[in-house]
Amino acid sequence: MIAMVDCNSFYASCEQVFRPDLKGRPVAVLSNNDGCIIAKNKEAKALTHIPYRDPLFKIKGLLAQNDVTLFSSNYTLYGDMSDRVMNVLREFSPAVEVYSIDESFVDLSGMTHVDLNAYGHQIKNTIVQRTGIPVGVGIAPTKVLAKLANRISKKVAHFDHVFVMDTEERRIEALNWAETKDIWGLGKKHVERLAHIGVFTAYAFTEVPLAWVRKEMTVVGERLWRELNGESCIPFETLPRKKKAIGTAKSFGKKLDNLPQIEEACAYYISEVSEVLRSQKCCCTQLRVYLTTNYHSTNDVQHADKTIVTLSVPTNDTFMLIVEAKKALKRIYKPGFKYKKVGVDLLGLIPEEQVQGNLFMPEATGDKRLIKAFDAINNRYGKSTVSAGLSGTSKSNKEWELIKEERSPRYTTQWDNLLEIGKG
DNA sequence: TCTGGGGTCCTAGGACCC
DNA sequence: TCTGGGGTCCTAGGACCC
């Protein structure tokens, strides 16, 4: 059996851990740039007339009327809280697959003599006690069924956030309860296609001929179908997979039309992603840069373009990548547009030790000492203690920077706050 | 004025290799 | 006159996840 453990309203719950005064009151967390709502706690979800995707400026009045407390997103805090939750989980099984920031699969296959329902409650209670984060626990024979069990644990009140799918009757009952859209892996398009042939429940989906599923929904659909029928075919992965791409793209705080400002943002993003690349001990063989105007805007003339550079020698050196990115950016930048976002992706990642030099430009592999010193300083004294000048300095006027008006304090990662909490 | 960000997997088609 | 068969790699587009 596999347990799927999922934190409730994770980002909102993280904020509430440090704001007990907000207990019982509606809380919502905002996207980057405070653009729209991306997480709501239970009380905020109950205010059904407040939508997720609407831009903040359109619903600000509504939020104020309902006394909703807003937070800008604080991913450092959520990442830290996530680590705490996952570490508690590891006490319950030697095999834990961290699936996302707020979800894990827990392998319970050895526990044949354990009362799984009681064990599920024990997991749930221990996590909330140690971290303050409420969770739901779904236990079933396959990953897709465990995801469904988790959903039921939360949606059907009398299960009290723990549901075990341990009999064939319960599996059938669960499949009949679930709509196709409730199934992990069935998105909007597939749900529509299934509705077209009269399939609306998970159970009905499991009755669709496999040949149709394979043809219309590829091998991905076939796996879902088999998993729902109780046949496990999505492997359990305890070790985190090596990344295949590392990218970042963030909307600017305001629209920009001049190249130097965009270059500065681009250089800053390159330094962020190349740091991640080095932490994985990898180099990239390709670099993608893209640039877009605000596609929501109906007044502005639109322009979007992208380009991929294949590097003469794979690298993870911030400075070399900035040089390449600037060249790439110049190729796709056209003056006279109001740009909203620049993005960079590092592609074709290979382990550092597999980098092959270039016969014609042996010096292209660069001097590793500088970048090593660079990382050592930033690891010791904090992010951006030293940075590439091209990515802007603390004194430069970074018009591209994100807006975060409501960010909570760095409760778990800033020394002053740790001291305060220590005193408390 | 203001509308998120970071990923993965699969397939088809084109270009190319011997 | 007659023009194969077995592959790989890359890219774009689609679909999905949190």
Side-chain angles (χ1 to χ4, degrees), chain A residues 182-244:
Chain A
D182 298 331
I183 299 301
W184 179 47
L186 290 186
K188 201 166 164 242
K189 296 283 173 182
H190 287 328
V191 167
E192 276 171 17
R193 222 168 290 169
L194 286 166
H196 233 78
I197 59 164
V199 171
F200 299 97
T201 67
Y203 185 76
F205 174 61
T206 63
E207 298 276 282
V208 173
L210 185 52
W212 186 93
V213 174
R214 174 74 200 212
K215 184 162 171 286
E216 300 295 323
M217 301 167 67
T218 77
V219 68
V220 180
E222 175 167 351
R223 275 200 286 262
L224 285 179
W225 187 94
R226 289 182 186 276
E227 286 251 331
L228 287 172
N229 275 304
E231 179 187 344
S232 177
C233 42
I234 301 177
F236 198 92
E237 297 176 70
T238 314
L239 295 174
R241 271 191 264 178
K242 282 262 176 208
K243 281 197 197 306
K244 295 177 177 172

Side-chain angles (χ1 to χ4, degrees), chain A residues 95 117 186 211 269 276 280-281 295 319 334 341 409:
Chain A
N117 189 55
L186 290 186
Y269 297 160
V276 176
Q280 306 228 334
K281 304 215 176 307
Y295 56 85
F319 307 104
K334 285 203 282 184
K341 187 196 281 191

Side-chain angles (χ1 to χ4, degrees), chain A residues 221-383:
Chain A
E222 175 167 351
R223 275 200 286 262
L224 285 179
W225 187 94
R226 289 182 186 276
E227 286 251 331
L228 287 172
N229 275 304
E231 179 187 344
S232 177
C233 42
I234 301 177
F236 198 92
E237 297 176 70
T238 314
L239 295 174
R241 271 191 264 178
K242 282 262 176 208
K243 281 197 197 306
K244 295 177 177 172
I246 299 169
T248 192
K250 285 174 274 246
S251 299
F252 305 133
K254 57 192 240 188
K255 292 179 203 163
L256 296 178
D257 55 7
N258 64 342
L259 185 58
Q261 284 275 351
I262 299 171
E263 278 179 337
E264 189 177 288
C266 179
Y268 185 78
Y269 297 160
I270 287 281
S271 51
E272 282 188 326
V273 291
S274 48
E275 209 173 303
V276 176
L277 187 64
R278 290 195 295 277
S279 74
Q280 306 228 334
K281 304 215 176 307
C282 283
C283 287
C284 65
T285 57
Q286 288 186 316
L287 167 66
R288 175 163 58 201
V289 178
Y290 55 98
L291 186 63
T292 68
T293 48
N294 183 359
Y295 56 85
H296 292 294
S297 168
T298 45
N299 311 328
D300 297 327
V301 203
Q302 301 288 318
H303 173 59
D305 204 356
K306 61 177 186 299
T307 182
I308 294 186
V309 182
T310 299
L311 303 166
S312 54
V313 173
T315 187
N316 57 18
D317 182 290
T318 301
F319 307 104
M320 286 205 264
L321 287 167
I322 287 178
V323 170
E324 292 301 328
K326 276 187 71 173
K327 281 195 263 179
L329 188 58
K330 279 214 176 68
R331 288 209 300 273
I332 56 175
Y333 170 83
K334 285 203 282 184
F337 293 96
K338 292 176 183 161
Y339 293 101
K340 185 59 184 169
K341 187 196 281 191
V342 68
V344 297
D345 290 315
L346 306 181
L347 310 169
L349 310 190
I350 55 167
E352 265 174 344
E353 64 270 19
Q354 279 176 27
V355 170
Q356 215 161 36
N358 183 324
L359 180 61
F360 301 105
M361 20 182 337
E363 74 281 9
T365 44
D367 185 347
K368 298 254 170 12
R369 290 174 304 168
L370 175 59
I371 204 73
K372 281 209 164 114
F374 192 86
D375 284 340
I377 292 169
N378 285 334
N379 280 331
R380 179 155 173 191
Y381 297 103
K383 189 179 172 178

Side-chain angles (χ1 to χ4, degrees), chain A residues 66-78:
Chain A
N66 289 279
D67 200 21
V68 179
T69 305
L70 296 176
F71 290 93
S72 298
S73 38
N74 184 347
Y75 292 105
T76 314
L77 176 68
Y78 312 148

